[in-house]
Amino acid sequence: KLFVKINPKTRTYESWSFQEPIGWVFPTKTKNIYLVGLQSGIALFNTHYPKNLNWIDKSFPEKKYCRLNDACIDSHARIWYGSMNNVDNSAKDGEVASYSTGEGLKIHDRGFSVVNGPLISPDEKFMYINDTLEGIIYRYDFSVNHGTIKNKQIFSKFSPTHGFPDGMCFDKENNLWVAMWGSGCIMRIHPNGNILKKIHLPAPNITNICFFGKDNKNLLVSSASIGIKKDEINK
């Protein structure tokens, strides 16, 4: 329920708390205005007026015991986002949807456990979506002009010892980098699905990754403290 804005250069941060779990945050063209995905829908958030949310859409997820989880935005300003059961994350209640002001809400796929990492390839030909607890990265043919995904295929499937695929990003060579929950590592995967590199980190639950800085030479990694004892966190 906490939105944290970090300055990687100064290593300082600001934070704002919400009444609902936060799935994702995106900046907008307007300073201090952010697009946030909360448990019950999409809203605009102004850091100068943190108590006032401007709700955009609350029709997804339809089931009140579900929440939004992860998202990306395509070049036509559509939000692609997923949901999960907030009470029992093993339940197959997760759905993949898109939303834009012109098209409204569209449901594209169903039957997921935890939807994570909706990610569009740099050439906009494919979309990658994780069914996290199943350990599967799916790849779809993606049409940015029509706002559709089709031809669902398994791109990568992991055993529990590998961890569970969470957030993702691409590097300059179009390789997929995947945060692996539960195994304390990130993976670099070739466009053909082969694992190129596995990097272990001192935290078990890696949640997301992204490149930043000059020439995107820096990699920012986030992790979760769920299930970790306080003395382990301090290490």
Side-chain angles (χ1 to χ4, degrees):
K1 297 182 179 181
L2 197 65
F3 165 28
V4 180
K5 181 181 177 182
I6 301 172
N7 185 325
K9 290 184 178 180
T10 62
R11 298 193 177 188
T12 57
Y13 68 90
E14 298 176 86
S15 64
W16 299 267
S17 60
F18 290 81
Q19 297 299 313
E20 301 182 13
I22 303 172
W24 40 266
V25 178
F26 291 109
T28 68
K29 293 181 179 180
T30 305
K31 187 178 180 180
N32 302 315
I33 304 294
Y34 294 86
L35 188 67
V36 295
L38 298 167
Q39 176 170 343
S40 56
I42 305 169
L44 286 173
F45 170 66
N46 188 332
T47 57
H48 286 173
Y49 304 96
K51 294 184 178 181
N52 298 325
L53 283 176
N54 182 9
W55 288 99
I56 295 174
D57 181 77
K58 297 184 76 172
S59 60
F60 179 77
E62 293 179 317
K63 300 170 182 176
K64 299 304 179 185
Y65 50 81
C66 290
R67 69 170 175 86
L68 302 187
N69 195 52
D70 207 351
C72 68
I73 298 177
D74 69 23
S75 60
H76 287 202
R78 294 184 196 91
I79 306 167
W80 291 83
Y81 57 135
S83 64
M84 60 175 283
N85 189 309
N86 198 38
V87 179
D88 177 9
N89 59 21
S90 66
K92 293 290 187 175
D93 289 321
E95 298 176 320
V96 177
S98 67
Y99 181 86
S100 69
T101 53
E103 298 173 354
L105 177 72
K106 293 182 179 179
I107 306 295
H108 297 273
D109 205 355
R110 305 175 189 272
F112 290 78
S113 57
V114 178
V115 178
N116 257 310
L119 185 67
I120 300 164
S121 62
D123 59 9
E124 294 191 315
K125 290 183 178 180
F126 302 106
M127 179 174 288
Y128 296 80
I129 300 174
N130 295 338
D131 191 336
T132 296
L133 292 189
E134 294 298 318
I136 297 174
I137 300 176
Y138 289 107
R139 186 174 72 181
Y140 301 74
D141 293 339
F142 173 62
S143 171
V144 70
N145 291 326
H146 297 96
T148 57
I149 54 175
K150 61 181 182 180
N151 298 330
K152 180 181 182 180
Q153 297 180 344
I154 293 178
F155 175 71
S156 292
K157 184 173 175 60
F158 304 95
S159 69
T161 56
H162 282 123
F164 302 90
D166 205 319
M168 304 184 287
C169 68
F170 282 101
D171 62 21
K172 289 183 176 180
E173 289 77 41
N174 295 332
N175 297 302
L176 188 66
W177 288 75
V178 187
M180 301 299 293
W181 176 284
S183 64
C185 74
I186 56 177
M187 290 189 181
R188 186 188 190 199
I189 303 176
H190 190 275
N192 64 15
N194 292 331
I195 297 174
L196 299 175
K197 183 181 291 186
K198 186 176 181 180
I199 302 173
H200 289 277
L201 299 166
N205 299 326
I206 310 302
T207 57
N208 217 335
I209 47 178
C210 70
F211 289 94
F212 72 99
K214 186 178 180 180
D215 298 323
N216 279 340
K217 290 183 177 180
N218 299 304
L219 186 64
L220 187 67
V221 182
S222 61
S223 65
S225 61
I226 296 173
I228 304 175
K229 298 178 181 178
K230 287 186 178 181
D231 58 339
E232 293 176 322
I233 294 174
N234 293 331
K235 292 178 182 179

